């Protein structure tokens, strides 16, 4: 990145997809449908948007109420504040807030 003050320009070197797609993200406020917490690492599917397709992922706790979600493929527009919902087949297991 380079700022050209004299020409009033900001030059950014990189692809649009560098920020648009991500393979991993963090969630907080994780909650689970079952009364017993899952055994980690957890290999399930995740949906990061209402109409997004399910993606295979691994969930690993990294704090008291924080988990790292690592997707098999890059996800488009994983956005802080959105919900990530985890599934095993058609069964919703739980979810959390992306941050």
């Amino acid at each position: 990145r380079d700022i050209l003050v004299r020409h009033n320009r900001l030059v950014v070197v990189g692809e649009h997809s560098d920020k648009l797609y991500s393979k991993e993200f963090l969630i907080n406020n994780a909650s689970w449908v079952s009364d017993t917490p899952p055994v980690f690492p957890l290999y399930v599917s995740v949906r990061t948007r209402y109409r997004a397709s399910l993606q295979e992922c691994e969930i690993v706790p990294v704090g008291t109420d924080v988990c790292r979600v690592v997707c098999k493929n890059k996800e488009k527009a994983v956005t802080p504040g959105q919900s990530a919902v985890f599934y095993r087949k058609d069964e919703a297991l739980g979810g959390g807030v992306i941050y």
Side-chain angles (χ1 to χ4, degrees):
R1 187 170 98 163
D2 196 11
I3 300 173
L4 305 172
V5 176
R6 186 165 47 163
H7 300 288
N8 196 29
R9 290 186 187 167
L10 172 65
V11 179
V12 178
V13 178
E15 297 295 322
H16 179 67
S17 63
D18 290 344
K19 291 288 186 185
L20 187 60
Y21 291 88
S22 50
K23 195 168 183 170
E24 63 181 68
F25 55 91
L26 297 174
I27 63 162
N28 63 3
N29 299 324
S31 62
W32 306 98
V33 174
S34 174
D35 291 335
T36 50
V39 177
F40 293 103
L42 186 61
Y43 299 93
V44 294
S45 297
V46 63
R47 180 169 286 148
T48 57
R49 293 195 170 283
Y50 173 68
R51 294 187 183 222
S53 59
L54 290 171
Q55 299 295 331
E56 293 178 38
C57 71
E58 174 187 24
I59 307 168
V60 180
V62 293
T64 303
D65 198 24
V66 177
C67 294
R68 178 178 310 282
V69 180
V70 181
C71 298
K72 183 176 180 181
N73 300 305
K74 288 187 175 184
E75 279 290 293
K76 183 178 181 180
V78 176
T79 308
Q82 294 283 347
S83 294
V85 181
F86 305 109
Y87 296 87
R88 182 171 287 126
K89 297 185 181 179
D90 291 334
E91 178 187 6
L93 302 175
V97 178
I98 299 167
Y99 80 97

